Amino acid sequence: MSRIRAFTMPKWGIEMTEGTIAEWMVKEGETFKRGQTLCLIETAKITNEVEAEYEATVRRIIVGGGAGEEPVGALLAVFDEGSHSDAEIDAFVADFKPAEGGIAKGAEKTRAPEPAPAAAAAPAPEKQRIKIDTNRPISPEALRLAEEEGVDIAGIEGSGRGGRITHQDVVKALRGTSAPSLKGTVPVEADDLKVLASPLARRIAALHGLSLQGLTGTGPRGRISKADVLALVPAPKASVGGIGTPEFVAGENRPEVVSFDRVRKVVAQRLTQAKQELPHFYLRMSASADALIAMRKTANVVLGSKASVNDWIVKASAMALAKHPDVNVQVHGQEIHRFPHADVSIAVASPKGLVTPVVRQANLMRIDQIAVETRRLIDKAQAGKLSMDDMDGGTFSVSNLGMFGIENFDAIINPPQGAILAVGAALRQPVETDDGDVAFETRISFTLSVDHRAIDGAAGAQFLQTLKGLIEAPEGLFGA
């Protein structure tokens, strides 16, 4: 049976309240098939491809690509499984209401606005937006600002990935470039030109507003020299430099104001909440990594993999978590959820900010399997294509800043998880040998941030002890 279908903003995850159409992959009047990609939708953390669940024709696109945020349940497009008339499509759009329990405000756009109270101030008029049709890569926020301010994006050089125009690029274009104001040559009094003086003496006198009239020169035939003029120049009030050091005058130090994007807002909110509400405590430990580094080289050759040191740390953490389920937990209100397997979240810096995709049941995976999975997740994160399935869940997090030379740091717990492991750089350090001599070995520092509501100090310490044993004797990582 033919019918008209509404395509609305989907809801992915409990915390999602709005999303943005990044790009439509179909056009009005185009017929699509089941499984075909309809559009890309951006949320605070991910960009998801939406696939068609049935075959139909795109009759009306209500919200264009890059048009801004729309609440969950808002009408985005109208699909037709038959051959309905334009009047029927118009009537469907006019009568559309979000499903019960939906939070869409966009569905109420057709209602007559309620009169404002007499004492209330009139709202500021909404800016007129000029529609910009372009094939250039541009972020939704940048396109919206350009349309509101009437910016010609043809002359903007994108600074984002692949030449993508960012919000900051449009802000810079709005500011424009300031032309320098050149003052030209220093004017010299006409009477001073008649006085016998060296060119440098004239220039110094003009710069300091001194007159050469009546000045007795000490040069040949009474010529006024540089020293004669400098004798009249007042000394600086508090010079700390050497003789002739020019005075430094500080110019304007104007900041570049960059507003939080959606991702940064969510990250800031979650981290602030976690730091304020979770009673963090920290356990620190270092481990010798020479055996693990040697094992990594051999295993990569034998298994034909490219596992990084961080992959081995993820594997060791997962196996230690399986042995200490008291640390492998999530905290939900007054309940502690203990898990038999370790779903390890790895912190990844992406164009959308810090994201934490999950390596699931890492304690059961071989090291080469972990290497493949982490590479897949990192590539998706850097391309901004992580899905909710990639991000949802996680029983423990590993955050590694060692590649930046950071020796150690304290990470903030990623709720509802109960702990996060901060990994520092691998450094050559002197240690005492069994015979009392001194030798160098490679050591890695670890800091475990723990939610004290759910995990006791002894449980965290035992976990670190097991982790250290696996790092220093990595052959145990190939066990069950």
Side-chain angles (χ1 to χ4, degrees):
M1 181 179 69
S2 66
R3 56 175 170 167
I4 303 174
R5 286 179 176 260
F7 176 66
T8 60
M9 180 63 69
K11 183 175 179 63
W12 296 317
I14 298 176
E15 297 182 354
M16 179 180 173
T17 59
E18 59 191 9
T20 300
I21 294 287
E23 182 181 359
W24 281 101
M25 311 305 291
V26 292
K27 301 177 181 179
E28 284 192 3
E30 182 178 337
T31 299
F32 56 83
K33 297 181 179 180
R34 181 173 181 174
Q36 183 177 343
T37 301
L38 298 176
C39 63
L40 304 180
I41 294 182
E42 290 183 347
T43 67
K45 283 286 187 178
I46 62 173
T47 299
N48 246 2
E49 296 180 352
V50 180
E51 295 184 352
E53 298 178 356
Y54 49 86
E55 183 175 339
T57 301
V58 182
R59 291 298 302 275
R60 191 73 51 82
I61 292 181
I62 308 297
V63 179
E69 297 173 345
E70 292 289 336
V72 169
L75 183 62
L76 304 178
V78 178
F79 300 153
D80 186 2
E81 290 185 331
S83 55
H84 294 82
S85 66
D86 290 341
E88 290 175 305
I89 299 297
D90 291 338
F92 180 87
V93 173
D95 296 337
F96 173 79
K97 292 182 180 180
E100 184 177 355
I103 61 174
K105 298 179 181 178
E108 312 229 348
K109 293 179 181 177
T110 57
R111 299 183 183 178
E114 297 182 3
E126 188 175 340
K127 283 190 175 182
Q128 185 69 26
R129 292 178 61 173
I130 302 174
K131 184 64 176 177
I132 297 177
D133 292 324
T134 179
N135 293 326
R136 296 187 61 189
I138 181 171
S139 71
E141 291 297 327
L143 182 61
R144 178 166 59 182
L145 178 61
E147 290 180 343
E148 289 178 350
E149 301 295 338
V151 178
D152 182 9
I153 65 173
I156 299 179
E157 184 178 351
S159 61
R161 188 181 183 91
R164 190 185 198 207
I165 299 175
T166 65
H167 184 273
Q168 183 176 343
D169 296 331
V170 179
V171 171
K172 287 184 178 179
L174 281 171
R175 291 177 181 167
T177 56
S178 57
S181 177
L182 303 178
K183 296 182 178 180
T185 58
V186 178
V188 179
E189 296 291 337
D191 292 339
D192 285 349
L193 294 174
K194 301 176 183 179
V195 178
L196 180 61
S198 69
L200 181 56
R202 294 184 194 279
R203 188 179 306 121
I204 295 174
L207 286 172
H208 292 277
L210 300 175
S211 175
L212 299 180
Q213 299 295 321
L215 182 60
T216 302
T218 59
R221 295 183 292 116
R223 190 187 194 200
I224 299 174
S225 66
K226 167 188 171 183
D228 298 329
V229 178
L230 287 177
L232 300 178
V233 176
K237 294 181 179 179
S239 176
V240 295
I243 298 176
T245 300
E247 180 183 1
F248 172 75
V249 179
E252 184 179 14
N253 187 17
R254 180 181 298 177
E256 178 183 357
V257 180
V258 180
S259 301
F260 275 6
D261 56 19
R262 294 196 313 277
V263 176
R264 187 58 58 189
K265 287 179 183 178
V266 172
V267 171
Q269 179 183 0
R270 293 189 62 187
L271 293 184
T272 301
Q273 183 179 3
K275 190 64 175 177
Q276 291 176 342
E277 297 182 0
L278 305 188
H280 287 60
F281 76 93
Y282 307 95
L283 299 173
R284 310 181 198 280
M285 177 204 73
S286 67
S288 173
D290 287 324
L292 184 142
I293 293 173
M295 176 74 74
R296 168 180 172 263
K297 293 180 180 179
T298 303
N300 280 350
V301 173
V302 173
L303 299 175
S305 65
K306 295 182 179 180
S308 65
V309 171
N310 194 66
D311 294 331
W312 287 82
I313 293 174
V314 168
K315 172 64 175 176
S317 299
M319 293 187 66
L321 288 168
K323 294 181 180 179
H324 300 279
D326 288 348
V327 180
N328 192 37
V329 299
Q330 291 181 351
V331 183
H332 297 272
Q334 301 297 318
E335 296 181 343
I336 299 175
H337 296 190
R338 293 192 179 95
F339 295 85
H341 300 298
D343 293 340
V344 181
S345 301
I346 54 174
V348 180
S350 76
K352 288 183 172 292
L354 181 66
V355 293
T356 52
V358 182
V359 180
R360 304 193 184 278
Q361 299 192 11
N363 58 300
L364 301 179
M365 300 173 71
R366 293 192 331 190
I367 186 63
D368 53 336
Q369 294 172 327
I370 289 179
V372 171
E373 179 64 5
T374 56
R375 185 70 266 167
R376 183 186 72 86
L377 293 172
I378 291 172
D379 289 343
K380 289 187 69 174
Q382 293 176 345
K385 294 184 177 180
L386 284 173
S387 66
M388 185 59 64
D389 290 339
D390 295 324
M391 304 275 291
D392 191 32
T395 62
F396 185 83
S397 290
V398 172
S399 180
N400 191 341
L401 294 179
M403 68 283 294
F404 299 108
I406 302 300
E407 297 182 9
N408 57 72
F409 65 101
D410 298 337
I412 299 177
I413 298 170
N414 183 22
Q417 298 172 15
I420 182 173
L421 183 70
V423 184
L427 302 175
R428 297 291 292 174
Q429 297 179 6
V431 294
E432 183 180 2
T433 61
D434 294 337
D435 57 3
D437 203 352
V438 176
F440 280 84
E441 68 179 13
T442 303
R443 299 192 69 83
I444 299 178
S445 65
F446 300 94
T447 302
L448 184 69
S449 303
V450 182
D451 183 349
H452 213 336
R453 298 176 303 168
I455 303 173
D456 296 329
Q462 290 167 359
F463 164 80
L464 282 179
Q465 190 176 40
T466 300
L467 176 66
K468 179 176 182 178
L470 291 170
I471 295 292
E472 295 185 342
E475 58 273 6
L477 297 175
F478 291 94

